[in-house]
Amino acid sequence: MTKITKRFGGVTALQGVDLTAYAGEVLAIVGDNGAGKSTLIKVLTGVYQPTEGQIFLDGKPIEFSSHADAIEMGIDAVYQTLALADHLDPAANMFLGNELTKSVFGVQMLDNKKMRTETERVLMERLGVTLKSPDAPTESLSGGQRQAVAIARAVYSEGLRVLVMDEPTAALGPQETARTLNLIKALREQGLAVILISHSLDDVFEVSDRVHVQRRGQCVGVVNTHASSTQEVLGMIIGAEEAA
Ligand SMILES: Nc1ncnc2c1ncn2[C@@H]1O[C@H](COP(=O)(O)OP(=O)(O)O)[C@@H](O)[C@H]1O
Ligand SMILES: [Mg+2]
C-alpha cells in the first residue's frame, strides 16, 4: 500500500500511509485507539476505498470496489467479532453462502457430509485443529475453536495470499491465546502474508517478524521485531514528545 490517505468528511483517518506485507511473514500493526489501524486494513480488504494512494499485489496495481473483490484477489480478514452464525455448526459456517450441493435424482441438495469432512480436513491440514464436537452449534465451542473455524473459512479459498487478523486474542484467555498464536505461526509457515492488529505487545513480540506503528493516522515507523523491544515500540506508539 503506498501513500494511502482516507478521509471521512472532515476527519483524516489515514494520511499518506505506506505498508508492505510479504509472503511467509507476520506483520504486526500497533497503535493507540484512533491511530487508523482498522481503517488501514479496511482499505486493504476492500471495505473502504482510499481517498488517495494505491495498492499493489506482486508489484501490479490493484483496485477493489468491494470486500468481495479483495477476497477474489486473495486478500481476506478475520475480525474480532468472527462473524460466525452461532446457531449453526462449524461446517455450515465454513460454507455459509457457498454451500456444497449434490444431485440426488436430479434434485440439488445440500451435501452436509462433504461439508463436514471438508471442514475437518481444512482444520486439521491447515491449522492442526480437531473439533471437540463437530456437529454442535458454533456458540458451544471454546473461543479458540471458534477462531479456528473463522480462520479455516478464510483459508479454504485456495487463492488466499494475505490474511488480516484484527485483535484475534482480545477476548481469549492465556491458553487460547497461545493456541491462536500457534495458528498464526502455522499460516506463516504455509506462506501466507499474515497481518496482525494487536494491542498486546506480548503477542506482537511472540509472533511477528516486523511491526508497523501507526500514530494519529500516520505510520511513524516499521521495526524488525527481533531487533526491537517493547520499550522502543511503546515509545513510538505514544510519540517522542509525549514520552519526553
Ligand atoms: N466511518 C468513519 N467515519 C468517520 N470517522 C471515522 C470512521 N472510521 C474511523 N474514523 C476515525 O478515523 C480515525 C481512525 O480510526 P480507526 O481506524 O478505527 O483507528 P484504530 O483502529 O487504530 O483504533 C479515528 O479518529 C476515527 O474516529
Ligand atoms: Mg480498530
Side-chain angles (χ1 to χ4, degrees):
M1 305 176 80
T2 59
K3 305 263 181 309
I4 301 290
T5 292
K6 177 65 182 176
R7 292 188 201 97
F8 297 101
V11 178
T12 301
L14 297 172
Q15 179 65 55
V17 175
D18 291 344
L19 177 145
T20 310
Y22 298 101
E25 181 199 66
V26 178
L27 175 72
I29 301 179
V30 300
D32 256 342
N33 285 330
K37 306 179 297 294
S38 294
T39 305
L40 186 58
I41 63 129
K42 283 179 182 163
V43 170
L44 178 60
T45 56
V47 177
Y48 293 150
Q49 275 65 60
T51 310
E52 286 163 25
Q54 250 193 324
I55 307 177
F56 298 83
L57 185 64
D58 295 329
K60 296 188 197 77
I62 50 172
E63 255 177 64
F64 344 103
S65 47
S66 68
H67 182 44
D69 277 1
I71 294 176
E72 186 83 9
M73 291 186 204
I75 303 173
D76 204 350
V78 176
Y79 295 101
Q80 193 181 333
T81 50
L82 299 182
L84 295 171
D86 282 329
H87 57 290
L88 299 178
D89 69 21
N93 269 288
M94 268 282 289
F95 292 96
L96 207 58
N98 289 304
E99 285 80 4
L100 301 180
T101 57
K102 61 183 173 186
S103 177
V104 179
F105 301 115
V107 180
Q108 285 305 116
M109 309 209 13
L110 289 181
D111 194 343
N112 290 314
K113 192 168 164 220
K114 177 105 185 277
M115 288 192 274
R116 176 78 51 81
T117 53
E118 277 294 278
T119 299
E120 288 178 4
R121 181 185 67 76
V122 174
L123 281 164
M124 177 43 71
E125 286 179 5
R126 300 293 301 271
L127 303 172
V129 167
T130 313
L131 290 176
K132 296 204 177 74
S133 34
D135 33 16
T138 309
E139 66 196 344
S140 68
L141 302 179
S142 70
Q145 293 229 311
R146 287 162 49 78
Q147 187 105 57
V149 172
I151 296 171
R153 183 170 59 188
V155 303
Y156 187 66
S157 150
E158 294 292 335
L160 185 72
R161 312 275 306 277
V162 181
L163 183 65
V164 178
M165 304 185 72
D166 196 354
E167 297 285 357
T169 64
L172 303 181
Q175 266 196 344
E176 306 237 284
T177 293
R179 287 201 193 99
T180 297
L181 296 181
N182 284 335
L183 299 186
I184 292 172
K185 290 175 189 168
L187 297 173
R188 167 173 60 196
E189 297 303 304
Q190 291 162 28
L192 281 185
V194 182
I195 298 179
L196 168 71
I197 297 180
S198 182
H199 271 100
S200 163
L201 290 187
D202 285 346
D203 290 3
V204 164
F205 275 81
E206 153 96 28
V207 82
S208 76
D209 300 289
R210 291 184 305 132
V211 187
H212 167 120
V213 185
Q214 275 290 125
R215 184 161 172 269
R216 295 182 182 170
Q218 295 188 297
C219 175
V220 292
V222 183
V223 299
N224 287 321
T225 311
H226 302 293
S228 186
S229 64
T230 48
Q231 275 99 323
E232 182 185 28
V233 169
L234 261 178
M236 292 165 74
I237 291 172
I238 298 165
E241 60 271 37
E242 267 101 321

